Amino acid sequence: MILRENRVVIAHIYTATAAIVVGAFFGALQGLSRATVFNAPAWFDYYRILTMHGVLMALVFTTFFITGLALFVTYRSIPRERNTTLGWAGYWVMLAGVLMAAVEILAGNATVLYTFYAPLKASPWFYVGAAIFIIGTWVIAAEIFGNILWFRKNNPGMPVPLPAFTAGATFLMWWIATLGVVGEMYLLIPWAFGWTHGVNVMLTRMLFWYFGHPLVYFWIMGAYICWYNIVPKFYNGNLFSDGLTRLTFIMLLLLSTPVGIHHEFMEPGISATWKMLHTITTYGVAIPSFITAFAIFASFELAARRLGKRGFWQTVQSLPWKNPAFCGPAYGMLLFILGGFGGLVNASYSMDSLVHNTIWIVGHFHVTVGGPVALTFLGIAYWMIPKLTGRALWKPAWALWQTRLWFIGMLLMSFSMHIAGLMGAPRRTAEISYFGSAPNEWAAYNATAAAGGLVLLTSIVIFACVAVGTLLANKKGEDMTVEFAQPLEGSERAPAMLQALFRWGLVALVAAALAYAGPLLEMLHNPGFPAPGMRTW
């Protein structure tokens, strides 16, 4: 049974690996292009490279890894006789959608970046592929929810195991968020096929950001699943609090969606009142992040105290810095501090006005996604793959250096982007010389960012070698038993209100509807002129 379950998880994890390798290659090309070291050929221009990089890294790598991770923690924390039909069905539907969209991007028919902003108009099959991909994730969500409901039915009065609870909260939030994509595709697909003569540009953008910002928290919640349930086992630690962990995930479920309009401060058609309300909720979503920081560091300290260690430095030194599975998440936590700071800047209307169209935003995005999210997933993969395959990790020293290189490369690249952004360097454009009139100060930071991109590419190639090497080179014999972090003995059970996952999902759906009802009515009352669409490439 376990072997059959493992196969579907392995398919998700190795598909994510393929996506990040190709995505990192396209990312390095972008960095070299902005540093004027590489000129993209006309038959595969900069924006096509940018679209492939964004789609592969932001949507394909992250989503496939999280679906695999969520299935893994659900299957292992709720052991039972089951078939994996839904797990496989979701995988194949997701893959079909990705391949359909990728073909259109590679063919040059969908150079619309990962935000697919109208009035840029892609091939309709790109949008159809994106919709199919989302449907595949819903099938995975159904598999996770089904296991949680089975547990409740067969264990009345017992709390859902925390790993499955966190996976369920993550996919409840994802389901609510992806309703925005469904709404957007309802407008874009008929428009792209030519069945409608125009599209409401502002409405499509609002629907995108209804989904786009919760997408970030979908990634973050995936990392949190690892930080709370898995990472403490690496230093013989405990979960700080079962109840606090459930509260954190419920808060993320409630607060992740009603925040997206802070991405549209510069857009017309939305009143200042709604922009202010979304600013407030954006600051609110920082609270579960602060709770997580407290819980993680408290867990570190409690484990260190059991070893007789006291104080900050002794606690840090007691952690397993030679274990790549720990180092990935740990370095990711450090980068998350920087990403969180940048997020607070971006949520401020006045400060966002200064940096919104600069490469500061790209630097923030990379340190947030490439730091706590990607680095956690890469590190946890070094623990998961042996548990899935029964094979010892191939070249663990390489794995350790891979996490270090990724940390260094991400610091170099994102810091350079932040500083260049403060100097006014633009984003989303291949031509940054302004025909020779651009400030010379940008050049050094663009070159440093390109160097960071090459370090990241090197790091990810090493990761792929270790992942494939583990699958092919080592013989079976590794212990496949999985134990998740447990709260301290004597800890109080989480109150019942923190265990009603699906009720909180209903509350989150109502909160999202209330947050967007006003802006939606404003937009429908003043729809503007429908855009026929354009292709600029």
Side-chain angles (χ1 to χ4, degrees):
M1 174 57 69
I2 287 179
L3 290 177
R4 196 166 69 235
E5 294 170 353
N6 287 349
R7 289 192 193 104
V8 66
V9 177
I10 288 171
H12 284 261
I13 298 302
Y14 276 85
T15 303
T17 300
I20 195 173
V21 171
V22 180
F25 172 72
F26 284 120
L29 289 182
Q30 280 177 76
L32 292 172
S33 176
R34 290 181 69 92
T36 66
V37 175
F38 164 78
N39 287 322
W43 55 269
F44 206 92
D45 60 279
Y46 174 88
Y47 296 104
R48 205 181 312 185
I49 293 172
L50 179 58
T51 301
M52 277 300 289
H53 172 68
V55 168
L56 285 172
M57 301 297 259
L59 297 175
V60 181
F61 159 66
T62 51
T63 307
F64 268 102
F65 195 95
I66 294 171
T67 51
L69 172 71
L71 289 174
F72 179 74
V73 301
T74 302
Y75 288 163
R76 293 299 185 98
S77 63
I78 305 179
R80 69 179 178 102
E81 286 294 323
R82 61 165 66 84
N83 69 59
T84 54
T85 302
L86 276 181
W88 278 114
Y91 171 79
W92 288 115
V93 173
M94 288 170 66
L95 188 62
V98 167
L99 292 176
M100 185 180 289
V103 165
E104 294 302 327
I105 297 171
L106 291 171
N109 296 325
T111 308
V112 291
L113 313 189
Y114 98 97
T115 49
F116 41 89
Y117 265 11
L120 290 177
K121 193 175 191 178
S123 157
W125 299 111
F126 169 79
Y127 301 122
V128 172
I132 291 173
F133 176 69
I134 294 298
I135 291 170
T137 65
W138 285 6
V139 175
I140 299 297
E143 171 75 336
I144 293 165
F145 298 156
N147 277 276
I148 291 173
L149 291 172
W150 178 91
F151 180 89
R152 284 187 169 175
K153 180 180 178 183
N154 291 277
N155 300 273
M158 292 290 292
V160 174
L162 187 63
F165 180 92
T166 54
T170 301
F171 274 85
L172 263 178
M173 193 281 288
W174 173 255
W175 177 75
I176 294 170
T178 49
L179 292 175
V181 181
V182 173
E184 189 176 7
M185 291 306 160
Y186 179 76
L187 301 173
L188 292 182
I189 290 176
W191 173 64
F193 273 115
W195 300 337
T196 57
H197 68 283
V199 72
N200 185 330
V201 172
M202 289 309 304
L203 180 57
T204 60
R205 293 186 180 188
M206 191 177 74
L207 288 170
F208 177 82
W209 285 115
Y210 172 94
F211 156 77
H213 195 80
L215 171 67
V216 175
Y217 287 98
F218 178 62
W219 305 329
I220 296 291
M221 291 168 84
Y224 282 8
I225 289 174
C226 303
W227 294 2
Y228 280 106
N229 296 301
I230 300 171
V231 172
K233 297 300 292 183
F234 299 149
Y235 52 87
N236 295 318
N238 291 91
L239 181 73
F240 177 72
S241 165
D242 183 281
L244 198 65
T245 306
R246 290 176 198 262
L247 175 64
T248 298
F249 276 81
I250 289 171
M251 291 185 73
L252 288 167
L253 170 62
L254 293 174
L255 295 170
S256 293
T257 307
V259 298
I261 286 177
H262 82 256
H263 287 267
E264 298 189 272
F265 285 156
M266 301 300 108
E267 302 280 7
I270 303 172
S271 68
T273 301
W274 287 107
K275 290 178 179 178
M276 174 60 74
L277 286 173
H278 279 241
T279 298
I280 293 170
T281 51
T282 302
Y283 283 116
V285 85
I287 295 172
S289 295
F290 287 131
I291 292 174
T292 298
F294 168 77
I296 296 296
F297 284 98
S299 177
F300 287 166
E301 183 173 355
L302 290 171
R305 282 177 175 270
R306 282 201 295 272
L307 298 174
K309 307 294 184 183
R310 294 290 187 276
F312 177 78
W313 289 113
Q314 285 191 7
T315 299
V316 171
Q317 289 169 359
S318 70
L319 297 171
W321 295 106
K322 297 294 178 65
N323 180 356
F326 172 79
C327 285
Y331 293 148
M333 293 171 193
L334 293 175
L335 292 174
F336 192 34
I337 296 171
L338 304 175
F341 170 75
L344 293 176
V345 170
N346 300 341
S348 160
Y349 192 107
S350 55
M351 287 191 280
D352 183 77
S353 301
L354 295 174
V355 298
H356 185 78
N357 286 315
T358 75
I359 202 165
W360 162 287
I361 297 295
V362 184
H364 164 72
F365 190 74
H366 278 81
V367 80
T368 304
V369 183
V373 177
L375 203 40
T376 293
F377 293 168
L378 297 177
I380 290 301
Y382 292 136
W383 172 81
M384 277 181 68
I385 291 174
K387 298 295 183 187
L388 290 166
T389 63
R391 302 170 191 272
L393 189 67
W394 189 69
K395 303 287 187 187
W398 288 21
L400 184 60
W401 274 104
Q402 182 273 316
T403 60
R404 293 170 179 171
L405 282 175
W406 185 275
F407 180 73
I408 294 167
M410 191 56 69
L411 277 179
L412 279 175
M413 188 175 74
S414 60
F415 260 98
S416 303
M417 288 175 169
H418 276 92
I419 297 171
L422 291 177
M423 293 178 173
R427 62 172 170 144
R428 287 175 171 163
T429 178
E431 168 51 52
I432 58 170
S433 71
Y434 291 107
F435 305 103
S437 60
N440 291 329
E441 289 80 1
W442 293 355
Y445 293 105
N446 288 333
T448 307
L454 290 176
V455 174
L456 291 168
L457 177 60
T458 305
S459 168
I460 212 61
V461 169
I462 295 172
F463 171 77
C465 289
V466 174
V468 175
T470 303
L471 196 62
L472 301 179
N474 285 344
K475 294 182 179 178
K476 290 191 175 182
E478 185 77 0
D479 180 13
M480 297 171 71
T481 306
V482 170
E483 293 181 358
F484 295 108
Q486 300 296 320
L488 290 166
E489 286 187 18
S491 299
E492 292 186 7
R493 184 171 164 175
M497 66 177 297
L498 295 180
Q499 299 176 29
L501 178 60
F502 294 108
R503 290 179 192 169
W504 285 114
L506 183 61
V507 175
L509 185 62
V510 172
L514 291 175
Y516 277 89
L520 183 62
L521 288 173
E522 288 179 351
M523 211 149 287
L524 294 176
H525 185 67
N526 299 297
F529 296 102
M534 64 178 72
R535 177 170 169 155
T536 59
W537 62 95

